[in-house]
Amino acid sequence: MEIIDYQIQKMKRKCRSGANYIRHFFIWVSISMVVGLFGGLVGSLFHIFIEKGTEFRESNPWMIFLLPLAGLLIVFIYRITKTDENLGTNLVFESIRTDQKVPFIMAPNIFISSVLTHITGITLSHFVHKAAHRQK
């Protein structure tokens, strides 16, 4: 009888342990879904803003004259957020190879500066690439 009680107690512990694993599994799946949804939304917004900014610049070629102003605005944004000593996107790439932390404020800084540069024409390599394919 003692052996049976021991086996029953052992099975109860295993069931509780298994239920605990399943519960934690679903917690982590839920967290992963929220993070994935947020990352997907931000990535989609970034793509839409870049695409619309490029379309706007292509239909308004005079925007290239605002490039210096956009550059000053980007420098101002980086200075006001106290991230001007960092290297912007390069800091993100560098953090992959090292343990250097990337401040959270870098995400909106990079987002805004990327959109501004696309609107004002810093991505002229796109035009050059397009023109080269048209001439062939």
Side-chain angles (χ1 to χ4, degrees):
M1 191 69 167
E2 200 174 294
I3 293 175
I4 294 174
D5 285 338
Y6 172 75
Q7 291 297 329
I8 290 173
Q9 293 301 323
K10 189 176 175 183
M11 286 179 71
K12 284 182 180 178
R13 280 194 306 271
K14 283 188 177 184
C15 285
R16 274 186 254 140
S17 177
N20 198 25
Y21 282 124
I22 291 170
R23 184 173 63 86
H24 279 90
F25 172 76
F26 283 112
I27 288 171
W28 281 108
V29 166
S30 300
I31 291 170
S32 300
M33 289 171 58
V34 169
V35 169
L37 182 66
F38 180 73
L41 284 171
V42 170
S44 294
L45 279 174
F46 184 73
H47 171 74
I48 290 167
F49 274 75
I50 294 294
E51 191 173 271
K52 295 298 179 188
T54 302
E55 287 174 10
F56 180 76
R57 186 204 62 243
E58 286 176 349
S59 62
N60 299 290
W62 56 267
M63 288 297 293
I64 196 157
F65 296 111
L66 296 179
L67 183 58
L69 184 62
L72 289 173
L73 183 60
I74 291 168
V75 169
F76 176 74
I77 290 170
Y78 274 79
R79 289 223 174 132
I80 205 163
T81 57
K82 296 183 173 54
T83 52
D84 57 333
E85 70 277 352
N86 295 326
L87 301 173
T89 310
N90 291 337
L91 175 66
V92 176
F93 295 137
E94 187 65 30
S95 71
I96 295 169
R97 289 178 284 211
T98 65
D99 290 336
Q100 188 175 5
K101 301 289 182 205
V102 178
F104 179 77
I105 194 69
M106 290 301 290
N109 285 357
I110 292 171
F111 190 103
I112 292 167
S113 62
S114 296
V115 172
L116 281 173
T117 56
H118 277 72
I119 288 173
T120 56
I122 198 74
T123 57
L124 288 177
S125 63
H126 173 73
F127 280 121
V128 173
H129 184 69
K130 244 180 163 177
H133 283 289
R134 282 187 194 148
Q135 290 177 353
K136 286 183 179 180

